[in-house]
Amino acid sequence: MKRMILLLLLAVFAVTSSPAQEQRHFVMIQGNNRVNVDWTIDKSGDFLKYTIITGSRAEYFTMKKNFETIEYRVVDKTENTDAKVVRNGDVYTFSGKNKGKSINRTEKSSGLPWFQNVEFNGFSLVDGKKPVKFECIRYTEMDRHTMQLTNKGEAEVEGYRTIRVRASLTGALAGVWGCDYHYDVNTGQFVVYKGVEGGPGTPETVIKAVK
């Protein structure tokens, strides 16, 4: 528990004290396919704003300083997608188009916080073994899901010593799907993701920091 509290403080310190604009680079591997993933994080204003470029897909996030997402936009010209979600209080507003289909609807939140990018902020949420629930938008379908994060303790992965955080669905669906986010034990920064993003037979997706 003392280690978790220390690492949580390190993660918060990194957000508040690091340069106003920061870049991080990753590679995503799925079977024989490799794609570069580039993050740009802007901490200069009242909100955290960052961009993730994964191949042809660009994602834009706006978060409060407590990591709650307030706006998310995904653009992928190859998929004819340019969709945006904004949360105002407990109401989500969906607009734009996803895979060529127009979107224009509102949904009421269950009251849980919205954390769209667990890679960036998941470590700061789990300071114990009790699962933390949140809402997330699945960008491929632009639908909303309730998820949970669970601290699974230390693990060695891809040459890193990490804290493994398990993300899964909730309730009876908790065992149906899940993935792992790994955070460096010394810095609290995200370094590795592992999970299957598809149906049976889909190879595991691995995202790891470029050293």
Side-chain angles (χ1 to χ4, degrees):
M1 178 61 73
K2 288 182 179 179
R3 176 186 287 274
M4 289 302 303
I5 293 173
L6 175 61
L7 290 174
L8 176 59
L9 290 173
L10 284 172
V12 173
F13 179 77
V15 169
T16 57
S17 65
S18 56
Q21 190 167 86
E22 176 185 354
Q23 292 188 333
R24 298 195 66 200
H25 304 286
F26 302 82
V27 60
M28 181 173 69
I29 303 168
Q30 187 180 59
N32 295 323
N33 296 321
R34 297 173 65 94
V35 178
N36 291 331
V37 181
D38 299 308
W39 291 13
T40 301
I41 308 166
D42 185 350
K43 308 171 186 176
S44 60
D46 293 333
F47 300 100
L48 301 174
K49 294 187 176 183
Y50 57 103
T51 302
I52 297 179
I53 306 295
T54 308
S56 63
R57 184 176 74 247
E59 297 173 273
Y60 306 92
F61 306 77
T62 303
M63 302 187 306
K64 300 177 183 178
K65 291 297 175 73
N66 68 355
F67 302 110
E68 286 190 39
T69 308
I70 58 175
E71 182 176 307
Y72 170 66
R73 181 185 176 201
V74 56
V75 178
D76 190 336
K77 292 182 179 179
T78 66
E79 296 282 344
N80 197 14
T81 291
D82 186 346
K84 184 168 72 171
V85 185
V86 178
R87 179 166 167 174
N88 186 5
D90 281 343
V91 177
Y92 290 91
T93 300
F94 294 74
S95 61
K97 60 183 178 180
N98 182 45
K99 300 176 184 176
K101 293 184 177 181
S102 295
I103 305 170
N104 185 12
R105 71 179 192 273
T106 59
E107 293 181 10
K108 186 170 175 57
S109 165
S110 66
L112 292 171
W114 177 22
F115 296 117
Q116 184 62 24
N117 188 344
V118 175
E119 293 159 333
F120 186 66
N121 66 295
F123 177 81
S124 68
L125 302 176
V126 288
D127 58 357
K129 298 292 184 180
K130 185 178 179 180
V132 175
K133 293 183 179 181
F134 64 102
E135 293 182 335
C136 184
I137 307 299
R138 182 172 57 160
Y139 74 87
T140 55
E141 305 300 328
M142 295 307 290
D143 54 359
R144 181 168 50 93
H145 293 269
T146 299
M147 305 284 294
Q148 64 184 12
L149 296 176
T150 307
N151 171 22
K152 294 295 186 179
E154 293 191 17
E156 296 280 346
V157 60
E158 301 290 338
Y160 292 97
R161 192 158 64 92
T162 71
I163 298 295
R164 179 168 72 98
V165 176
R166 182 73 171 173
S168 65
L169 298 171
T170 59
L173 297 176
V176 174
W177 180 87
C179 60
D180 292 319
Y181 296 89
H182 293 265
Y183 303 86
D184 187 286
V185 295
N186 295 312
T187 65
Q189 284 196 324
F190 166 72
V191 288
V192 177
Y193 163 92
K194 289 193 173 188
V196 175
E197 300 182 353
T202 303
E204 181 181 59
T205 295
V206 177
I207 300 173
K208 58 183 179 180
V210 175
K211 295 183 179 181

